[in-house]
Every structure is written in structure tokens, then in C-alpha cells.
Amino acid sequence: MEPGDAARLGPGRAARALPPRLLLLPLLPLLLGRGLRAAAAASSGAAAEDSSAMEELATEKEAEESHRQDSVSLLTFILLLTLTILTIWLFKHRRVRFLHETGLAMIYGLIVGVILRYGTPATSGHDKSLSCTQEDRAFSTLLVNVSGKFFEYTLKGEISPGKINSVEQNDMLRKVTFDPEVFFNILLPPIIFHAGYSLKKRHFFRNLGSILAYAFLGTAVSCFIIGNLMYGVVKLMKIVGQLSDKFYYTDCLFFGAIISATDPVTVLAIFNELHADVDLYALLFGESVLNDAVAIVLSSSIVAYQPAGLNTHAFDAAAFFKSVGIFLGIFSGSFTMGAVTGVVTALVTKFTKLHCFPLLETALFFLMSWSTFLLAEACGFTGVVAVLFCGITQAHYTYNNLSVESRSRTKQLFEVLHFLAENFIFSYMGLALFTFQKHVFSPVFIIGAFVAIFLGRAAHIYPLSFFLNLGRRHKIGWNFQHMMMFSGLRGAMAFALAIRDTASYARQMMFTTTLLIVFFTVWIIGGGTTPMLSWLNIRVGVDPDQDPPPNNDSFQVLQGDGPDSARGNRTKQESAWLFRLWYSFDHNYLKPILTHSGPPLTTTLPAWCSLLARCLTSPQVYDNQEPLREEDSDFILTEGDLTLTYGDSTVTANGSSGSHTASTSLEGSRRTKSSSEEVLDRALGAGDQPVSSRGTRLVFPLEDNA
């Protein structure tokens, strides 16, 4: 069609006559806009998918890098332990005693800490901080919305404003900084359980009164003396302008509680190697075992101290007595829980045939023992106390029910776990000096802490020893007292208590000071143990099963034929009535109920309990298949004239030319006694000199050493 033809047709008909492609010309801008928007949307979607894929790839790389760093950090500690073990072997081979294995572990930890701190570059950075001024408290977990994606963040701790720009930039250093709960829930239980499970009960109970006095009263005295002295140091720091934040009196008492936990592992290891005096070993070991438990309960009670009113750090009598009640409640509840768990384990191993499957028996024993710690913590008690008394109960009762293989396995298992956990903690101490991010070094506080610890230990040992000697037959000599004063090392428990809470300025200063105190006591005091033993003339090379010399008269055979003799010794016998009562009850009733040893319950329970007695008495008791072993029984109750005697004890018999050492090792067969003559013949040995036993009876130690 020509242009003229379109004009003749008119506008309407001309429009209808135009070609279709010309009619689409006015719609091109609209169509192009929609197309461009669609293309842009498609391009944006593809870009979003690419961005999401890149984010996922980056997340996977970060997770892989984090896993690699975790492996490297654990490998670091394993190599530290391996190097420590090899060096220990070298030291033992060369008979080097100036440095203990724990000191070696700390030195290697320091070396690795220096390398990680100054030899590895920063591998990460921090984004800008976000302000949450509307919130008045810190949350343990946060969900953050970032462009429609939610991310979870956990609380790491408080950072002071002055250190906001010096937050650790090295991922590796953050990886080797463990959660404090790792120490409490994983590393501490085998250490504490092994202390109770390997306890030499004979020497421990012979000095039980003195051990309890040192552990309970002495730790409390040391805590309050150190706390008050450190409060004076804090006041001095405030005057001279070296205190940059709050430090309350309760903080000082808390420091006194955690630093009162002694851990003379170095000294005890040297004592064990040199076979030092068994009574001194028992006093130091017993005190260190129990005062760990006392220190952790005491620190919990101080934290629970909450006075009424606005000033939450002022003295309040009601709050004080409430804290004392909390202390007693936590300790008694933890003790009960540990003992009950041990009793339950003893009953399970007695009334089942698990001994036919030693692997299952060992696994159950291990799980029941470890669960005691976690159960106590979950119930609001103290796992350290619970697992300690669980170990003592397991050694006294459950051990008798285990098969020969399980006895060996459990002893070795917990010994290995104790060794590895303890050296791991000491290695981490050396590492933490350079990798911990919140150290607060205060020379005045550190020097004051050393002085306060020395004075607190002196007020702990010497006055208590004086009062204890008033009632002891075997006196605690001045050389023993000086050695106990010298052996007040600090170790794993003080470190674990200090690192558990490092959120505030005061707690960070306490942790740094505790770390330095542990270093000094382990290296200097631990290294000086052997020269100190020589200087104080403390005997070494003593058989650990040997009793004190006969002139101490800790056991006697009393003539029962004269009224004067009876009257003269009645008071001495009554002084040990508590121990006589307990061990009589334990031997006649608890041991037969919980183990395969002891007399049949049918002979000790009343006749109307005969059905119950037959149900609870093990067939092995009648068949004499499971002998009562000396290492599992502290005191042996016998029949007839022999009322109570001590395992492996020295007795002085009237009518004999000298003293004789009783051999009560019953590895071969059960001791069945029909008369006191047979008892004395067996106890003193067939090859010994004859002993006149007519009209005599053996009794418990006339005056216990407590």
C-alpha cells in the first residue's frame, strides 16, 4: 500500500490496514522494560545463588580449618605428655630427684606457650563491635539476624574497655585455651578418685584424728588468715593507686579458700620413692586429699554469702551462719552421695555374676565411679567430695567382689588416668602463662600472697600440732612439723578453682597470682624436698607396712587376771571406743552384707533375722572361697578372747622375750579361729618364740594417734 492510499482510506481504516509489526512499535518500550527487569531478576537470582554457594563454601572451609586447629591443639598436648614421659624415664634412670614430673610438664608447657604466643602469626580479625545499649545484662547465647539469616553466638566473657583493642587475634591461641568445665568434669574426677581408691587405709586411719584436724580446722584457719592479710594488701594497693577495679573482702576470702588447697604431689612422689616415714606420709597425703574437698566446699560457701541490704559485701551474721550451714550441707550431702554410690556398686558386683565377664565388670565399675562426680554436681553438691569418698568406699567394699582381672584392671586404669590428667593440667598451667588472654599482674598482690601463704601455713601447722600432741601417743616431732610446713605446695586443685571463674578483674588477678604460686612451689619447694629430708633427719628406706618401733607400745597384750590391771587400762580402752564400735560393726555386718568376706550373717544377726541373713550372706563365705585380704581390711575382728586387732601390726606379748610382728596376710586361706591360742600361734608365726596367751586378750590400740 502506498502512502496516498492510506490517506484516502481515512484514519481508522488506515490504522487497520497497517502491518502488524508496525502496530507493535508503540509497545516496544514497555516490552523492553519488562524484559530488562526479567533479565535483571534472573541475573540477581543467579548472583544470589552464587553468593549463597560462596558463603557455604567459606563456611565449610572455616569448619575444616577449625577442625584442623582443634587437632593441632590436642596433638600439642599429647606431644607434651609424650616428651614429659620420656624425660621422666631419663630422670628415673639417672636417679635425678631435683625436679618432679609435674615440674617438667610445666616447663614444656611454658616453652610451647612461648612458641605459640610469639612464633605464630595472627590468623583472624574481629569485625566491628555492635552496641546493645538497651540491654542491662549479658546473655549467654544470642541469635543475630543478618539479612534474614540467623546466627548463634555464645558468651566468651567480659572484656574491660581498656583491652577492647587487644583481644586475641590468633585462632590457635584461642583453641588451646580450654573451657574450665573440662578440668572439673573430665580431668579432676580420675585424680580425686585415685587418691581415695589407692589410700593406704591402715596408716590413714591410724592418724585419722590428726588428718581431720589439719584438713578441716587447719584449712579454715589458713583461709581466714590469708583472706584477712590479702584484704590488707588490697587496701594498700588502693592507697598507692595500683588497684584499677573493685576488689571486695569476700574476694579476698575466696582467694584464701582456693589457695589453701595443698597438692604436695612432688613431695609425696619423692617420699614414696625414698620410702620416707609412713606416718609423715600419711599425714601429708591425708591432709592434701581431704583439704582439697574442704577448700572447694569452702569456696562455694563464700560465693553463696549474700548479706541482706544494699551493701552485698558487708558482714551479716545471718548470711555468715547461712554460709556455714551451706558448707555443712554440701559436704555431708556430697559425702553421703559418694558413699551410697560405692555401696550400690558393691551390691551390684556381689549379687550378679559380672565377675565372669571381667571386661563388663571393669566398665561398670568405671562408669559408676565417674558418674558419682557428675551426679553430685547435677544435684548441687560437690563432685570432688563425692568421688573421693566413693573411691574410699569402692576400695573398702567393692574391691573384694571384683575378679582378679578386674582388680588389676581398675587399679591400673585409674592410676594411668590419674597420671595423664595430672600431667595434662600441669602442662596446661605452663601453656596458660602465655596463652591466657586476661592476665592481671600486680607485683604488690603477688608478693603479699606469698607472705600470706607462708604465715597461713605456719598458723595452720604449728599450733594444731601442739594441741594434737597433747593427746597423741606418737608425737608429731618438730622435724615432721617443719617438713609439713615446707610441703605446702599448691597444684591442680588451686589452679582448677582459680580458672573456673575469670570474668571479673579480681578473679583474673587471683588466677595470675595462683599460677605463679604453683610455679614457685612446684619448682623450688618440690626440688628441695630431698635436701630437706636429710637436713631434718627424717628416716627413709622404711617399709610402708612396718609399724612404729615396739617401744611406742601402740599395741599391747593386757593381763586380764588382776583388778588393778583392768582398772588401769579401762580408760585407755575407752579412748578408742568409737573406732572399736565402728570396726566391730563393719566386720560383723557391713562386710558380710556388701562383700564376700567376713563372718556369715547367720552367726552375727539375731535368730529372727535368719531368713534375711541367708539371703544376704554370700555362698563364698561358707565355702571359704574368697579370703579376706589384709589390704582390704584395716582391722580384723576375731572371736573368743581376741576382740580386735590391727592388720600387719606389732604386738607386745606378756611372757615373750620380745616383740613380734604379726603377719596377718591371708592370701592363701581364710583365717578361722577357734581360740585365742590358735590366733596367737598364727599371728606370731610358727617359727617365732612361744608366747604365753593364757588369761590374755588383744585389744585395739590403747591410745589412738588421732
Side-chain angles (χ1 to χ4, degrees), residues 459-471:
H460 170 183
I461 295 296
Y462 295 114
L464 277 180
S465 299
F466 171 77
F467 288 110
L468 289 171
N469 281 336
L470 297 179

Side-chain angles (χ1 to χ4, degrees), residues 227-242:
N228 284 279
L229 291 175
M230 293 311 298
Y231 188 63
V233 172
V234 168
K235 289 293 185 182
L236 177 62
M237 293 173 60
K238 188 175 182 180
I239 293 174
V240 299
Q242 292 194 9

Side-chain angles (χ1 to χ4, degrees), residues 45 75 131 208 451-452 525 539 548 563 667:
L75 178 62
S131 177
L208 182 60
V451 175
I525 298 180
R539 57 178 187 157
E667 300 293 338

